[in-house]
Amino acid sequence: MLKDTLIKLVSIPGPSGFEDACAAYIAEEIKPYVDEIKKDVMGNLICVKKGKGGKRIMLCGHMDQIGFMVTAIEKDGFLRVTNLGGVNPVNMQAQHVVMKSGAKGIVFTETGNDKAMFIDIGAENAEEAKKLASVGDWAVIDGVVTEMGNRISAPYMDDRCGCAVVLETMKNLKETDNEVVAVFTTQEEVGLRGATTAGFTVDPDMAIALDVTLAQDVPSVKKTAYVVSELGKGAAIKIMDRGIISHPSVVAAMKEAAEKAGIPYQMEVLTAGSTDVGAIHKGRSGVASGCISIPCRYVHAPCETIDLRDLQGAVDLLLNLL
Ligand SMILES: [Zn+2]
């Protein structure tokens, strides 16, 4: 079930550059539904379902999460950390974390300097701390999954919910003329790095990314005419973000598929941020690309919240498109 897959996926630690555990889980799950699975040098998991002479369509969701990396171990046992990806210390501080070693801790910021983050793993001195962590080790938020009716909240909906959509789509995809290549990418949060090489390897005729976008239907956002997306109004068809202007043919095909099948959708113009197709569409001699986005509140906070109907809508839209 889509929800169960999502809950499992958000619970596997895997910050940028360290996505192996997530890739191993997905490889096992997707195996019965594809003809070929390979992993490239960058750690991208590339899963091919052969077609019958049609086009090659690449789907991608990024496996990596934002998190922290240890830069130093203090005499008193605290770990100094830097960010892996777009960490906003205001959103991430005072949270429980899990370290590469499995040790649990708390991330906090120095009083009066909310950019200086440290992790407390309960060590009383450097010697104790070094048994649980080394310079270069990662940490991620060790958050809870909260189910609230149709909505569900957890750290790392970005972009494990995109991975869940791609996985669920491959599980339910019937034979098609098109070859469909599901790629679970690495290092998106540090600059679309995995997608850059995966796009070259796959060499698709069309690429579609699955990622979250900002849902701004919350009290903290001043209500203006412009809201990127809202929860529960359907998956969003991206027209533009800061990394791509979606190919008009891809946008048109998505709209047509949604309308034919009666799947609710919204249109997305995002004035900040980008995702994997931002790199892929500029590869080789260009790739017609677009994105189906899952509206998400509190992006890059530990309580990223989506609506399960939008998630299922994204799967339905893909199944009607491919
Ligand atoms: Zn993302």
Coordinates of all heavy atoms in Angstrom, one line a residue, residues 62 158-159 188-189 211-212 275 300, ligand 1:
H62 N 14.3 11.8 -5.6 CA 15.6 11.7 -4.9 C 15.5 11.1 -3.5 O 14.6 11.3 -2.8 CB 16.3 13.1 -4.9 CG 15.7 14.2 -4.0 ND1 16.0 14.3 -2.7 CD2 14.8 15.1 -4.3 CE1 15.3 15.3 -2.2 NE2 14.6 15.8 -3.1
D158 N 10.2 15.1 1.8 CA 11.2 15.6 0.7 C 12.4 14.7 0.8 O 13.3 14.9 1.6 CB 11.5 17.1 1.0 CG 12.4 17.6 -0.1 OD1 12.7 17.0 -1.1 OD2 12.9 18.8 0.1
D159 N 12.6 13.8 -0.1 CA 11.7 13.5 -1.2 C 11.3 12.0 -1.2 O 11.1 11.4 -2.2 CB 12.3 13.9 -2.5 CG 11.4 13.6 -3.7 OD1 10.2 13.7 -3.5 OD2 11.9 13.2 -4.8
E188 N 20.6 15.2 -4.4 CA 19.7 16.3 -5.0 C 19.8 17.5 -4.1 O 20.0 18.7 -4.6 CB 18.3 15.8 -5.1 CG 17.4 16.8 -5.9 CD 16.7 17.9 -5.1 OE1 16.8 17.9 -3.8 OE2 16.0 18.7 -5.7
E189 N 19.8 17.3 -2.8 CA 19.8 18.5 -1.9 C 21.1 19.3 -1.9 O 21.1 20.4 -1.3 CB 19.4 18.0 -0.5 CG 18.1 17.3 -0.3 CD 16.9 18.3 -0.4 OE1 17.1 19.5 -0.5 OE2 15.7 17.8 -0.3
D211 N 8.7 15.3 -6.9 CA 9.3 15.9 -5.7 C 8.2 16.7 -5.0 O 7.1 16.9 -5.5 CB 10.5 16.8 -6.1 CG 11.5 17.0 -5.0 OD1 11.2 16.8 -3.8 OD2 12.6 17.5 -5.2
V212 N 8.5 17.2 -3.8 CA 7.5 18.1 -3.1 C 7.6 19.5 -3.7 O 8.6 19.9 -4.3 CB 7.8 18.1 -1.6 CG1 7.7 16.7 -1.0 CG2 9.2 18.7 -1.3
T275 N 14.6 21.0 -8.7 CA 14.7 19.6 -8.5 C 15.4 18.9 -9.6 O 15.9 19.6 -10.6 CB 13.3 19.0 -8.2 OG1 13.4 17.6 -7.9 CG2 12.4 19.2 -9.4
H300 N 11.4 21.3 4.5 CA 12.7 21.3 5.2 C 12.6 21.6 6.7 O 13.5 22.0 7.3 CB 13.7 22.3 4.5 CG 14.2 21.8 3.2 ND1 15.3 22.3 2.6 CD2 13.8 20.7 2.4 CE1 15.6 21.6 1.5 NE2 14.7 20.7 1.4
Ligands
ZN1 ZN 13.3 17.5 -2.8

